[in-house]
Amino acid sequence: MLRHIIVMGLVAFTLVACAKPVDPRSLTQATVPLYHPAKTNVADAPTIKSIFTPSTGFLGSPATVTFLVAIDGQYFDGGRRSDPHPVPAGPHVISIGYATRGRSSQVAVLVDFKPGASYVIRQDNSGLTLNSINNAGPDDILWVEDEKTGLAITPKQSTTIYDNPDRYVPPSDATSTISGSRGGQFLDHFVSFIQMVDGKIVNGDGAASILEGEHGRPDYAVPVAAGRHAMAIRIDYNLTYGVFPLYFDVKPSTSYVVKFEGPLSKIIGNRQTYVISFWIEEMGSGALALPKVDMPISYGRKYKPEELGTETPPAAPTQP
């Protein structure tokens, strides 16, 4: 399931196909905080599962899958896609995704898991909208549903801001800000931005336009009040992107910025992995507010233990 962190694009394929050979012993382990559902040994724990639909043949419908990407700042590291996985009861900020042939998407939502309940990740598409015309295809709509009642426990969230009327409105007591940043070369689209605050989609400093893009503005400083907030960071690298949900403690009268670097070649377990490293720091002082996290964007080859200079493959990163 960790592979579903990636929202694949042509650039991700190019990274693997054109990468120069490297000495695997020179690669460092990626910093990927993981959530292991098997460690949630709580009686009457709620569960969440994906929906996998197999393909109907070469000329038929492609396979599709919904999936849990991350929960509370930890990437989901589960097992089989359609198995129910235990999650902690209570409020959480999560990112969920959908993948099919040639297309994949992610959104962040707030959830409140009830003890003993069973949940499922659902997907639909938006049909004909302004944004689907702009993107030459439908927007994916994702939500979490109570499996027993069939009722959505989250808003039906579009993957783009055009189709999300429930927008974030900065509170009157907001004295702090958090913004994204830009990077990359001349032809690169390499940006970070805040996609969601407290369950509401951030829409720049006004209405989005087709010229600006259907998502967020990296240079927009999102006003936030001091205190603990559920947020989602989105990193775009050309045709590849990922959404990272977390709880973030905001200090009064402080400005923050999401910075990033990459793509970098690292190791997860025994597999070469291309990652974008991102972190949050206080503007001005440069003080680290969120330590570096590695977001996988593409996988390379697997190595044998002797190629890594170890008798056994190194373990995957564990929860911090």
Side-chain angles (χ1 to χ4, degrees):
M1 288 296 288
L2 187 60
R3 64 185 178 275
H4 287 313
I5 293 172
I6 305 167
V7 177
M8 293 296 292
L10 296 177
V11 173
F13 173 79
T14 304
L15 281 171
V16 176
C18 300
K20 295 181 180 179
V22 298
D23 180 355
R25 291 169 296 184
S26 69
L27 301 177
T28 59
Q29 283 284 333
T31 304
V32 182
L34 298 180
Y35 168 72
H36 299 282
K39 295 184 179 180
T40 307
N41 297 318
V42 179
D44 210 26
T47 62
I48 190 168
K49 70 178 183 180
S50 306
I51 295 179
F52 175 70
T53 305
S55 66
T56 56
F58 180 73
L59 297 178
S61 301
T64 65
V65 64
T66 61
F67 50 91
L68 177 63
V69 181
I71 176 170
D72 300 340
Q74 294 180 316
Y75 285 116
F76 178 72
D77 187 24
R80 292 170 57 86
R81 288 173 291 198
S82 56
D83 288 345
H85 298 289
V87 288
H92 300 278
V93 55
I94 67 173
S95 52
I96 55 179
Y98 168 78
T100 187
R101 184 174 60 203
R103 187 170 97 251
S104 188
S105 55
Q106 295 178 18
V107 300
V109 292
L110 289 180
V111 295
D112 188 3
F113 293 131
K114 303 300 182 183
S118 300
Y119 301 99
V120 62
I121 300 168
R122 298 281 186 187
Q123 180 272 345
D124 200 351
N125 64 63
S126 62
L128 188 64
T129 67
L130 173 63
N131 195 60
S132 66
I133 295 172
N134 182 38
N135 281 348
D139 299 327
D140 291 316
I141 309 295
L142 295 164
W143 70 96
V144 178
E145 185 176 284
D146 186 303
E147 190 171 28
K148 183 177 180 180
T149 65
L151 299 176
I153 69 162
T154 69
K156 295 186 176 182
Q157 183 82 35
S158 171
T159 52
T160 58
I161 62 175
Y162 283 133
D163 300 317
N164 286 294
D166 198 11
R167 309 291 175 83
Y168 174 71
V169 178
S172 59
D173 61 344
T175 62
S176 300
T177 63
I178 182 166
S179 61
S181 54
R182 300 178 186 268
Q185 304 300 317
F186 176 68
L187 295 178
D188 284 338
H189 175 68
F190 198 6
V191 299
S192 66
F193 57 91
I194 303 302
Q195 186 186 58
M196 180 269 281
V197 176
D198 297 331
K200 309 292 186 180
I201 296 298
V202 175
N203 183 23
D205 55 357
S209 70
I210 292 178
L211 293 178
E212 177 60 36
E214 69 275 16
H215 304 297
R217 285 182 48 187
D219 53 353
Y220 173 53
V222 183
V224 287
R228 186 173 172 84
H229 296 276
M231 294 186 180
I233 297 170
R234 175 164 162 159
I235 308 288
D236 283 21
Y237 179 63
N238 294 327
L239 300 179
T240 306
Y241 78 87
V243 176
F244 187 75
L246 75 162
Y247 282 102
F248 185 67
D249 292 314
V250 176
K251 297 178 182 179
S253 304
T254 306
S255 296
Y256 301 92
V257 60
V258 181
K259 293 193 172 182
F260 56 86
E261 62 181 354
L264 306 172
S265 180
K266 295 191 176 184
I267 285 281
I268 294 182
N270 65 339
R271 189 163 194 170
Q272 182 184 14
T273 307
Y274 296 92
V275 304
I276 303 297
S277 293
F278 67 94
W279 64 97
I280 300 176
E281 63 182 51
E282 295 181 15
M283 297 179 69
S285 70
L288 199 61
L290 175 72
K292 283 188 178 182
V293 174
D294 289 331
M295 177 184 288
I297 60 169
S298 174
Y299 290 118
R301 60 166 292 192
K302 287 184 177 180
Y303 293 105
K304 298 177 181 179
E306 55 269 25
E307 293 178 291
L308 293 169
T310 60
E311 294 183 0
T312 57
T318 58
Q319 302 180 72

